[in-house]
């Protein structure tokens, strides 16, 4: 049983110790631990600034036959091989020292305990409570949050079961065969990614669709083959004010009513996932058919609660709960393991090593699994929206790089496209390879070939092909340089037996906590998103200017004014 009694006091994390006399700096770069890492990077750099002297991958592997074992870690059902990174035991211990200096453990405990660590929105950050087992207790401001979480889960399960069994029918009595999740950002990417990941677990009579873009093409393409009588819309919006989602939901309702004719049909074909009951009611959805979540769940951290309803309908409550258990296993590891053996912490630290001390700006996520095709996009939001920040909690600008640019595509497609740059380009791109020992579904032994590619790529990136080897293959002249692969390109390999619901939860929680630790080290707020909020207001003003029949004076820059005028002129406004 977990019991955390939490009050609403302001957060007072230990600030980094500084080497500048009595001045206490909020910047981690002012700690002696940061400086020690900078010195270590300088002492081990070769003439090109890349790790050499004891930290080249070739040397690290040549001098330590046990390196793979020593740098491979287990977390729940995942095996994480960190050996192909330019880190020695000394590097790791300096990095762990940095995590301690940043107060990562205290910050982690504050998050799990329900303190208001999202200081700019004055909110707790409690997505980990969404996967606490029934019977656990977590009190925030004197109120238990685990009971309500399980009430919503039970309500979702009952609804999902009714849809799956055909008991919940549409307005004309037909069973629901298509579920359309209308949501964007955090209300789209998580359930979409998990739905595609768990394709083999989807109910044979139910297909889920995801509409996010306000571009009408996506809604129209999705609805083109659907029968309104068999279609259920799940309107997913934490705030229920997001213009893209509300616009798509209104258009979907008009499409439904154009065929079914009767306003009463809305109640059988629309449900909502939101924190805003008033907004849901104003839209015309019965709040009995609303599945609730709370302000303390950030959008991009919400797929394991009500926002996962489309996924639950598709894969069933048992599989959804198995996914939650996977999340919880990783939460437990993160919460209990010492920093030096804590896998999300180690992944985060290695990311900080690349980003801040080796100047590597991006991270490629390369799943060798087609079902994880949306995993890079999901991580892109998780990481870049969380850690794309430029000031620390007290508003001081950082003096160092923060979140990396995250990108990627499933292997082997990427191999025939952008891997060229990763192998021989001028930018070193750390990569995360993710693969499975067993295929979800195999045909003609293709899974063996898929995995052979993954292992071969990680090996080639790390160890390259020297000029001597190229020459030995018969190359001469300029061709020798063209065909030489420098190697020393780092990667993590994450393996699991199979992509099960639990493993999906484990993978997501692993990255959630990795992102958390990096944010904690950089001293930023990983849980707000003012850049996203800006986008939500900017378009409103220009929207009026594009559509108003009366031309009013435009007060933007000359480029924006010209673009707006061109659009208005085209439409004769
Ligand atoms: C996520 C962000 C953002 C959000 C969307 C949708 O952390 O806040 O991506 O999820 O803007 O917001 P609503 O769910 O409120 O519609």
């Amino acid at each position: 049983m977990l019991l955390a009694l939490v009050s609403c006091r302001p957060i007072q994390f230990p600030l980094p110790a500084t080497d500048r006399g009595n001045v206490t700096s909020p910047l981690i770069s002012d700690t002696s631990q940061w400086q020690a890492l900078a010195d270590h990077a300088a002492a081990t750099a070769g003439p090109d600034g890349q790790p050499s002297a004891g930290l080249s991958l070739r040397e690290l592997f040549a001098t330590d036959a046990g390196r793979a074992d020593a740098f491979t870690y287990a977390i729940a059902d995942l095996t994480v091989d960190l050996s192909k990174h330019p880190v020695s035991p000394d590097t790791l211990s300096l990095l762990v020292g940095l995590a301690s200096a940043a107060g990562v453990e205290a910050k982690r405990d504050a998050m799990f305990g329900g303190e208001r660590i999202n200081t700019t929105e004055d909110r707790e950050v409690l997505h980990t409570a969404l996967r606490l087992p029934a019977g656990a207790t977590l009190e925030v401001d004197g109120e238990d949050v685990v009971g309500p979480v399980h009430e919503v889960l039970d309500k979702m399960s009952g609804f999902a079961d009714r849809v799956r069994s055909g008991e919940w029918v549409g307005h004309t009595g037909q069973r629901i065969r298509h579920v359309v999740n209308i949501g964007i950002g955090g209300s789209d990417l998580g359930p979409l990614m998990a739905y595609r990941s768990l394709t083999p677990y989807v109910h044979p009579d139910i297909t889920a669709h995801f509409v996010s873009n306000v571009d009408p093409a996506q809604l129209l393409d999705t609805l083109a083959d659907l029968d309104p009588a068999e279609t259920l819309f799940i309107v997913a919006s934490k705030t229920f004010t997001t213009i893209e989602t509300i616009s798509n939901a209104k258009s979907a309702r008009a499409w439904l009513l154009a065929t079914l004719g009767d306003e009463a049909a809305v109640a059988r074909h629309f449900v909502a996932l939101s924190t805003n009951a008033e907004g849901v009611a104003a839209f015309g959805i019965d709040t009995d058919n609303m599945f609730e979540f709370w302000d303390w769940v950030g959008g991009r951290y919400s797929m394991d609660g009500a926002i996962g309803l489309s996924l639950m309908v598709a894969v069933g409550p048992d599989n959804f709960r198995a996914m939650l258990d996977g999340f919880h296993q990783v939460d437990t590891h993160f919460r209990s393991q010492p920093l030096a053996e804590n896998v999300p912490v180690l992944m985060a630290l290695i990311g900080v090593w690349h980003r801040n001390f080796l100047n590597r700006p991006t991270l490629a996520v390369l799943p060798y699994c087609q079902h994880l095709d949306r995993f890079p996009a999901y991580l892109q939001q998780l990481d870049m929206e969380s850690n794309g920040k430029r000031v620390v909690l007290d508003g001081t600008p950082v003096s160092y790089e923060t979140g990396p640019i995250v990108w990627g595509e499933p292997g082997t497609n990427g191999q025939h496209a952008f891997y060229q740059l990763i192998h021989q380009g001028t930018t070193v791109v750390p990569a995360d390879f993710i693969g499975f020992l067993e295929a979800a579904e195999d045909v003609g032994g293709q899974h063996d070939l898929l995995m052979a590619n993954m292992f071969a790529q990680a090996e080639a990136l790390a160890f390259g092909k020297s000029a001597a080897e190229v020459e030995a293959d018969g190359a001469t002249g300029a061709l020798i340089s063209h065909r030489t692969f420098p190697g020393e390109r780092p990667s993590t390999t994450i393996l699991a037996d199979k992509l099960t619901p639990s493993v999906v939860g484990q993978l997501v929680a692993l990255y959630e906590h990795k992102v958390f630790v990096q944010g904690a080290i950089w001293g930023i707020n990983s849980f707000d998103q003012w850049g996203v909020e800006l986008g939500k207001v900017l378009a409103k003003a220009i929207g009026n200017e594009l559509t108003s029949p009366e031309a009013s004076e435009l007060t933007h820059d000359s480029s924006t004014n010209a673009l707006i005028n061109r659009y208005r002129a085209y439409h004769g406004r």
Side-chain angles (χ1 to χ4, degrees):
M1 284 278 246
L2 284 161
L3 182 65
L5 290 167
V6 176
S7 68
C8 234
R9 66 199 148 75
I11 309 290
Q12 300 283 343
F13 292 119
L15 291 170
T18 173
D19 292 326
R20 298 183 303 159
N22 293 329
V23 182
T24 302
S25 164
L27 300 180
I28 189 69
S29 53
D30 285 329
T31 60
S32 56
Q33 290 82 357
W34 182 278
Q35 190 54 49
L37 278 157
D39 294 344
H40 180 61
T44 50
D48 58 356
Q50 298 301 320
S52 174
L55 282 196
S56 88
L57 294 177
R58 284 194 194 86
E59 202 176 328
L60 288 168
F61 276 86
T63 55
D64 179 5
R67 181 168 174 84
D69 279 349
F71 285 81
T72 298
Y73 299 83
I75 175 166
D77 299 321
L78 310 176
T79 302
V80 180
D81 177 357
L82 299 174
S83 64
K84 294 195 190 82
H85 287 281
V87 291
S88 64
D90 283 350
T91 321
L92 273 193
S93 92
L94 290 170
L95 285 165
V96 168
L98 185 74
S100 297
V104 164
E105 283 165 306
K107 291 176 180 177
R108 173 196 64 193
D109 295 345
M111 174 175 72
F112 277 95
E115 292 192 39
R116 297 192 176 194
I117 64 168
N118 178 354
T119 50
T120 58
E121 296 180 318
D122 194 23
R123 285 180 186 160
E124 301 87 357
V125 173
L126 273 178
H127 47 278
T128 53
L130 296 175
R131 52 260 194 163
L132 280 174
T137 309
L138 176 66
E139 286 192 7
V140 175
D141 293 336
E143 301 265 333
D144 173 49
V145 297
V146 184
V149 162
H150 280 270
E151 275 167 32
V152 172
L153 267 179
D154 292 344
K155 182 175 169 184
M156 290 166 66
S157 302
F159 178 76
D161 278 337
R162 286 201 297 286
V163 174
R164 289 165 63 80
S165 68
E167 184 191 330
W168 177 286
V169 290
H171 185 63
T172 59
Q174 281 172 257
R175 73 159 294 154
I176 298 297
R177 294 185 186 279
H178 296 276
V179 174
V180 182
N181 185 85
I182 299 180
I184 194 165
S187 300
D188 167 69
L189 287 160
L192 166 59
M193 174 276 294
Y195 172 72
R196 296 178 74 97
S197 302
L198 297 176
T199 302
Y201 297 81
V202 170
H203 191 293
D205 296 332
I206 294 176
T207 306
H209 310 262
F210 294 82
V211 173
S212 52
N213 201 328
V214 75
D215 182 341
Q218 193 183 19
L219 182 70
L220 293 175
D221 289 354
T222 303
L223 300 183
D225 297 327
L226 304 191
D227 175 354
E230 300 181 332
T231 301
L232 173 74
F233 292 98
I234 298 182
V235 186
S237 178
K238 180 175 168 179
T239 55
F240 229 78
T241 56
T242 305
I243 191 83
E244 289 91 334
T245 300
I246 300 302
S247 303
N248 276 322
K250 282 182 181 162
S251 301
R253 186 171 58 184
W255 172 83
L256 183 95
L257 293 178
T259 308
L260 300 185
D262 182 355
E263 274 288 336
V266 172
R268 304 301 301 171
H269 292 269
F270 275 81
V271 300
L273 321 174
S274 191
T275 56
N276 176 2
E278 251 174 51
V280 168
F283 182 85
I285 296 177
D286 185 346
T287 45
D288 279 353
N289 296 334
M290 166 179 153
F291 300 82
E292 188 196 0
F293 59 117
W294 303 271
D295 259 356
W296 41 259
V297 183
R300 56 194 171 277
Y301 296 90
S302 64
M303 61 170 276
D304 41 349
I307 289 294
L309 184 65
S310 52
L311 174 69
M312 190 195 264
V313 170
V315 303
D318 290 349
N319 285 319
F320 192 87
R321 286 171 193 260
M323 181 184 79
L324 296 186
D325 180 61
F327 271 101
H328 182 61
Q329 287 182 49
V330 168
D331 293 345
T332 305
H333 170 107
F334 177 52
R335 210 176 169 178
S336 60
Q337 292 303 299
L339 294 177
E341 289 155 40
N342 196 311
V343 181
V345 172
L346 293 171
M347 284 175 66
L349 289 172
I350 287 176
V352 167
W353 177 236
H354 286 301
R355 186 78 175 109
N356 297 116
F357 300 97
L358 304 178
N359 296 321
R360 294 167 174 178
T362 87
L363 170 70
V365 180
L366 309 169
Y368 276 65
C369 173
Q370 190 59 30
H371 287 155
L372 282 179
D373 64 344
R374 296 302 287 163
F375 195 63
Y378 173 78
L379 281 191
Q380 213 164 40
Q381 182 192 25
L382 175 67
D383 202 324
M384 294 171 75
E385 204 167 282
S386 296
N387 286 344
K389 308 287 163 63
R390 48 172 283 285
V391 298
V392 298
L393 292 189
D394 74 357
T396 306
V398 294
S399 58
Y400 38 82
E401 299 290 347
T402 59
I405 298 156
V406 178
W407 59 288
E409 277 288 323
T412 57
N413 299 16
Q415 286 173 215
H416 296 263
F418 55 78
Y419 276 39
Q420 168 60 36
L421 184 148
I422 308 186
H423 279 289
Q424 288 187 306
T426 50
T427 299
V428 176
V429 178
D432 285 0
F433 289 97
I434 304 171
F436 300 93
L437 302 183
E438 190 183 331
E441 300 143 314
D442 203 3
V443 54
Q446 285 186 212
H447 186 70
D448 296 339
L449 185 57
L450 175 72
M451 294 304 288
N453 270 284
M454 183 174 105
F455 297 145
Q457 288 293 329
E459 182 183 28
L461 287 169
F463 304 110
K465 191 165 185 180
S466 67
E469 288 167 313
V470 172
E471 237 180 317
D473 280 351
T476 54
L479 210 49
I480 297 173
S481 329
H482 286 283
R483 298 187 59 175
T484 296
F485 292 82
E488 302 298 333
R489 313 261 158 155
S491 66
T492 295
T493 300
I494 301 175
L495 280 180
D497 290 357
K498 205 174 166 180
L499 187 55
T500 60
S502 173
V503 165
V504 169
Q506 293 171 32
L507 280 170
V508 173
L510 177 67
Y511 279 96
E512 281 178 352
H513 297 322
K514 179 202 133 168
V515 166
F516 172 84
V517 171
Q518 293 190 332
I521 289 172
W522 291 320
I524 58 183
N525 183 358
S526 300
F527 300 102
D528 60 10
Q529 54 284 315
W530 297 106
V532 177
E533 310 305 334
L534 174 71
K536 290 185 181 183
V537 291
L538 278 184
K540 278 192 188 148
I542 295 190
N544 291 336
E545 289 164 351
L546 291 184
T547 54
S548 157
E550 300 297 316
S552 54
E553 198 196 336
L554 297 175
T555 54
H556 306 273
D557 58 277
S558 60
S559 165
T560 309
N561 287 347
L563 293 167
I564 293 170
N565 282 329
R566 191 178 176 87
Y567 189 91
R568 285 181 60 88
Y570 183 87
H571 289 280
R573 292 172 194 152

